[in-house]
Amino acid sequence: MIITSTVTRDNGLLDRIRLVARRYTAKVSVGYFGNEQHRPSITSGSPNPITMNSLAAIHELGLGVPKRAFIEPALQQNRNKHIKYAGRQITPIIRRRQSLNNAWQGLGVMAVADVQKYMVTATFTPLAPAIIRRKGSSKPLIDTGQMRQSITYRVK
């Protein structure tokens, strides 16, 4: 006669997986969220500061200037990288080696870095000769570096 027995140990793993699955949804937004004022450079020719939101919208949507979108294209270009990152965070969260909040914060930092890199490396519509003379540079989106440095993220 063969006798078998099964010992079931509940270490809470299944409950943690369920909890993480329910709470793993969040929204990481990248952009300009405050009312930070853009301080024009001496060469910009504009004495009136505008918000970073407005300046980014001007470039992103092409409002009165050639369209030089940099947020949406950078995020689309790096979408698979961001998805893979989020997927790699699930196991450490379940095993309590990483917090859910830290995972989303990490994704935000990564996305901001990707947008900043895109601003410097992408090919945009060239600047007009008069703008190049005034700026002293032919690089679109980069004048003082303030707009690039001000991009941020938030997690909801």
Side-chain angles (χ1 to χ4, degrees):
M1 169 158 68
I2 299 176
I3 300 176
T4 63
S5 64
T6 303
V7 177
T8 304
R9 223 176 317 164
D10 181 12
N11 60 5
L13 182 60
L14 186 56
D15 288 336
R16 285 201 310 269
I17 291 171
R18 286 182 185 138
L19 179 65
V20 167
R22 271 187 252 126
R23 295 178 45 212
Y24 200 66
T25 59
K27 182 177 181 181
V28 178
S29 300
V30 176
Y32 303 89
F33 305 108
N35 289 323
E36 181 180 347
Q37 297 291 308
H38 166 63
R39 293 178 298 284
S41 69
I42 295 170
T43 60
S44 73
S46 173
N48 301 321
I50 62 173
T51 66
M52 282 295 174
N53 291 347
S54 298
L55 183 61
I58 288 168
H59 289 292
E60 193 78 16
L61 303 172
L63 304 174
V65 298
K67 184 176 180 176
R68 293 183 179 100
F70 60 95
I71 296 173
E72 216 32 61
L75 296 177
Q76 283 298 324
Q77 181 178 346
N78 291 285
R79 179 178 166 78
N80 288 337
K81 179 174 98 170
H82 299 161
I83 290 170
K84 286 178 186 175
Y85 170 85
R88 286 191 311 267
Q89 303 313 304
I90 293 172
T91 300
I93 291 167
I94 290 169
R95 293 185 177 164
R96 295 185 177 148
R97 293 183 187 148
Q98 159 117 297
S99 75
L100 190 56
N101 185 53
N102 284 350
W104 293 125
Q105 298 294 328
L107 181 59
V109 168
M110 178 188 294
V112 165
D114 291 335
V115 172
Q116 289 172 331
K117 180 179 178 185
Y118 187 87
M119 290 175 79
V120 174
T121 60
T123 302
F124 296 104
T125 303
L127 296 172
I131 302 293
I132 294 171
R133 281 192 301 277
R134 187 176 73 216
K135 246 177 92 160
S137 168
S138 62
K139 190 69 182 158
L141 301 179
I142 306 294
D143 192 357
T144 65
Q146 185 183 5
M147 186 166 69
R148 182 176 177 271
Q149 293 166 355
S150 297
I151 194 157
T152 190
Y153 70 93
R154 66 179 173 193
V155 178
K156 284 187 174 183

